[in-house]
Amino acid sequence: MFPNPEDHVSENMKSVSDLYEAEVLLAYFLNRSERPCTPAQLTEIATAEGVINYFVYNEAIEKMIENGSLILTEKEGTEVYELTEKGRNGANDLKKIVLKSIRDRIYAAGLRLFAKLRSESSVDCQIEPLEKGCSVHTRFKDKNAELMDISIYATDEDQAAFIKSKIMKDPSGFYGKIIDYVISNEEYVPDITTEE
């Protein structure tokens, strides 16, 4: 008997190629993110990292508009996709049809894109001297909301300057990696079986 290649594909490598699953996943993402997306943003979130097959994605969007679960509307002069009440109900009721690992992937992809779209002015990174060493204090803001406030200890000013330069080289990447870790972090369950 030949081995099944699917057995060697991790959950994080799988993508959605079923039309119905794609519709559920898109509704789930839009409902969970609670913010409208432009067509270009939603396309990038869903397809750029291979979460949904590009052709299936386009067909799913058409079907969702046809069945009344998604609308293309205008906000502040920009066309955006928004879920209707029907779409929100479907997102809540049917989300478990799609694997949790795939739901987590699309949500993380959305958070990364939205972080990337924020301007550098929304990031404040300062080196603060301590009694021993320094603290690299970084705050990520979005309009009036504070998204993240994190301090990293450094043994001296040189190390602090190095940490700050790495954060400021790609602030959205730094933010995205922390979000990815938080979303994929799972409780440690020790193996209580004993070997004899």
Side-chain angles (χ1 to χ4, degrees), residues 31-191:
N31 190 51
R32 181 154 183 212
S33 66
E34 295 182 346
R35 66 186 288 172
C37 283
T38 68
Q41 289 169 348
L42 191 56
T43 301
E44 184 172 342
I45 289 165
T47 66
E49 297 180 22
V51 179
I52 302 177
N53 172 289
Y54 178 78
F55 300 104
V56 172
Y57 164 79
N58 285 320
E59 196 175 343
I61 291 291
E62 287 176 20
K63 291 283 277 183
M64 291 173 76
I65 290 172
E66 280 175 22
N67 69 28
S69 58
L70 184 72
I71 57 170
L72 184 61
T73 186
E74 191 173 305
K75 284 203 168 180
E76 300 174 9
T78 303
E79 285 192 326
V80 293
Y81 286 129
E82 280 192 333
L83 285 180
T84 62
E85 189 66 32
K86 177 181 179 181
R88 281 191 293 280
N89 290 338
N92 288 326
D93 297 343
L94 304 172
K95 70 180 180 185
K96 290 191 177 176
I97 287 174
V98 181
L99 291 171
K100 183 182 182 311
S101 62
I102 295 177
R103 295 194 315 261
D104 288 348
R105 276 179 61 206
I106 197 168
Y107 186 61
L111 290 177
R112 280 193 301 276
L113 177 67
F114 295 140
K116 184 179 175 183
L117 294 174
R118 292 184 190 97
S119 67
E120 297 300 318
S121 64
S122 67
V123 179
D124 178 37
C125 190
Q126 301 293 324
I127 296 174
E128 300 168 357
L130 303 172
E131 254 185 65
K132 290 185 180 179
C134 299
S135 173
V136 182
H137 188 192
T138 309
R139 296 171 68 196
F140 292 82
K141 297 170 278 186
D142 183 18
K143 296 182 183 172
N144 298 326
E146 188 162 275
L147 303 173
M148 184 185 304
D149 187 341
I150 187 168
S151 292
I152 301 172
Y153 174 77
T155 55
D156 56 41
E157 282 190 38
D158 288 340
Q159 187 182 41
F162 177 74
I163 292 169
K164 178 181 177 178
S165 72
K166 286 295 194 178
I167 292 170
M168 294 310 293
K169 185 175 183 181
D170 183 12
S172 61
F174 177 76
Y175 176 83
K177 284 177 183 172
I178 292 173
I179 293 298
D180 281 348
Y181 177 78
V182 170
I183 287 173
S184 64
N185 191 27
E186 293 186 10
E187 180 182 359
Y188 171 70
V189 179
D191 182 4

